[in-house]
Coordinates of all heavy atoms in Angstrom, one line a residue:
C11 N 28.2 218.7 104.6 CA 29.3 219.2 105.4 C 30.6 219.2 104.6 O 31.0 218.2 104.0 CB 29.5 218.3 106.7 SG 30.9 218.8 107.7
H13 N 33.5 219.4 105.7 CA 34.6 218.7 106.4 C 34.5 217.2 106.3 O 35.5 216.6 106.0 CB 34.5 219.1 107.9 CG 34.6 220.6 108.1 ND1 35.8 221.3 108.0 CD2 33.7 221.5 108.4 CE1 35.5 222.6 108.3 NE2 34.3 222.7 108.5
C14 N 33.3 216.7 106.5 CA 33.2 215.2 106.5 C 32.3 214.7 105.4 O 32.3 213.5 105.2 CB 32.7 214.7 107.9 SG 31.0 215.1 108.3
G15 N 31.6 215.5 104.8 CA 30.8 215.1 103.6 C 29.4 214.6 103.9 O 28.7 214.3 103.0
H16 N 29.1 214.5 105.2 CA 27.8 214.0 105.6 C 26.7 215.1 105.2 O 27.0 216.3 105.3 CB 27.7 213.7 107.1 CG 28.1 212.3 107.4 ND1 29.4 212.0 107.7 CD2 27.4 211.1 107.4 CE1 29.5 210.7 107.9 NE2 28.3 210.1 107.8
C35 N 28.5 221.0 112.5 CA 28.1 219.7 112.0 C 27.8 218.8 113.1 O 28.6 218.7 114.0 CB 29.3 219.2 111.1 SG 29.0 217.5 110.5
I37 N 27.9 215.6 113.0 CA 28.7 214.4 112.8 C 30.1 214.7 113.3 O 30.6 214.0 114.2 CB 28.7 213.9 111.4 CG1 27.3 213.8 110.8 CG2 29.5 212.6 111.3 CD1 26.4 212.7 111.5
C38 N 30.8 215.7 112.7 CA 32.2 215.9 113.0 C 32.4 217.1 113.9 O 33.5 217.4 114.3 CB 33.0 216.0 111.8 SG 32.7 217.5 110.8
C39 N 31.3 217.9 114.2 CA 31.4 219.0 115.1 C 32.2 220.2 114.6 O 32.5 221.1 115.4 CB 31.9 218.6 116.5 SG 30.8 217.4 117.3
Ligands
ZN1 ZN1 31.0 217.2 109.3

Side-chain angles (χ1 to χ4, degrees):
C11 172
H13 303 283
C14 69
H16 272 92
C35 175
I37 309 296
C38 69
C39 297

